[in-house]
Amino acid sequence: EVQLVDSGGGLVQPGGSLRLSCEASGFTLSAYAMTWVRQAPGKGLEWVSSIGYSGEDTYNGDSVKGRFTISRDNSKNTVYLQMNSLRVEDTAVYYCAGYIVAPRRQYFYGMDVWGQGSTVTVS
Amino acid sequence: EIVLTQSPGTLSLSPGERATLSCRASQSVTSGYVAWYQQKPGQAPRLLIYGASTRATGIPDRFSGSASGTDFTLTISRLEAEDFAVYYCQQYTGSSFIFGPGTKVDIK
């Protein structure tokens, strides 16, 4: 079965740190670019960070720039999100997701595999 | 910066009815970079449509997507009980992702 398993969430005080992990099973992680998407309580989806297939390119949303770092270890089939200087407004469910993009064709195949979500509470 | 506006915010319909959800981009976008997702309470989002109009694997053919300029539409031809959920459109910019605020489809 193709799946992503998120872990590492929890309760942390403002200014603290957490590291989320996302382990893939049933498929080869290196076939996907990976991303983290979060959802604050009762709110919509917000893109957080993305990383290219081999980890050479990373991108972060404005709200987390300079505080969050995405990385991956394809040998362990795992993606990470290191979250530092956490704020109350970072409280959310964090989902990892995998996607495939073909820039030369200007085509994006959607985020078609998702983790179950990891809850982060900053309080 | 591209902004995606979804309308209506809430759509109240009965099973068997047709649902038409709109997503408008604030500027020109590449239609091949547009996707739609369904999310039910307590669950992760599920990919429905990518490339503006291609159904993802396993998605029933009552779901369809279309594009016209900066306007994107998700249509559910005949609502079934399991379709009542929140729907998000999404734009890939080449280095980031933008989500619309969502349309909730609830039972009338």
Side-chain angles (χ1 to χ4, degrees):
Chain A
E1 181 188 4
V2 171
Q3 62 175 351
L4 293 171
V5 178
D6 303 330
S7 62
L11 173 64
V12 62
Q13 292 184 340
S17 298
L18 275 178
R19 188 176 82 154
L20 303 182
S21 298
C22 170
E23 184 173 2
S25 63
F27 68 100
T28 301
L29 191 71
S30 59
Y32 282 82
M34 296 297 295
T35 190
W36 289 91
V37 173
R38 68 184 181 184
Q39 187 168 38
K43 302 298 184 182
L45 302 173
E46 179 190 12
W47 169 72
V48 175
S49 298
S50 294
I51 188 166
Y53 297 89
S54 57
E56 71 286 357
D57 297 315
T58 61
Y59 306 95
N60 292 289
D62 288 342
S63 61
V64 305
K65 235 167 235 179
R67 300 188 299 124
F68 290 12
T69 302
I70 189 171
S71 61
R72 66 191 296 161
D73 185 340
N74 287 340
S75 68
K76 294 183 179 178
N77 253 12
T78 302
V79 177
Y80 305 97
L81 185 68
Q82 177 66 44
M83 303 184 294
N84 298 330
S85 303
L86 281 160
R87 304 168 180 168
V88 171
E89 55 266 35
D90 294 320
T91 295
V93 175
Y94 286 73
Y95 297 100
C96 65
Y99 65 96
I100 294 172
V101 62
R104 292 181 186 176
R105 294 181 54 218
Q106 293 193 312
Y107 209 73
F108 164 61
Y109 292 87
M111 296 175 181
D112 69 340
V113 57
W114 290 74
Q116 83 284 4
S118 193
T119 300
V120 173
T121 303
V122 185
S123 177
Chain B
E1 179 182 319
I2 299 171
V3 175
L4 298 179
T5 302
Q6 290 188 244
S7 61
T10 302
L11 194 54
S12 297
L13 295 168
S14 301
E17 290 194 294
R18 181 184 188 90
T20 303
L21 287 67
S22 174
C23 175
R24 174 167 288 178
S26 59
Q27 57 187 272
S28 178
V29 298
T30 302
S31 62
Y33 284 169
V34 172
W36 288 89
Y37 299 85
Q38 176 194 68
Q39 188 181 33
K40 297 179 181 178
Q43 296 184 18
R46 178 174 73 143
L47 176 67
L48 297 176
I49 300 286
Y50 62 89
S53 60
T54 302
R55 275 188 301 278
T57 302
I59 302 303
D61 60 6
R62 64 180 181 274
F63 290 91
S64 63
S66 62
S68 177
T70 57
D71 291 332
F72 299 86
T73 302
L74 175 69
T75 302
I76 311 171
S77 59
R78 287 178 57 86
L79 282 164
E80 298 197 3
E82 63 264 30
D83 300 336
F84 292 94
V86 179
Y87 293 83
Y88 296 94
C89 61
Q90 177 198 52
Q91 167 72 29
Y92 172 63
T93 70
S95 60
S96 65
F97 295 93
I98 300 166
F99 287 95
T103 290
K104 182 178 182 180
V105 179
D106 65 15
I107 300 176
K108 187 174 181 181

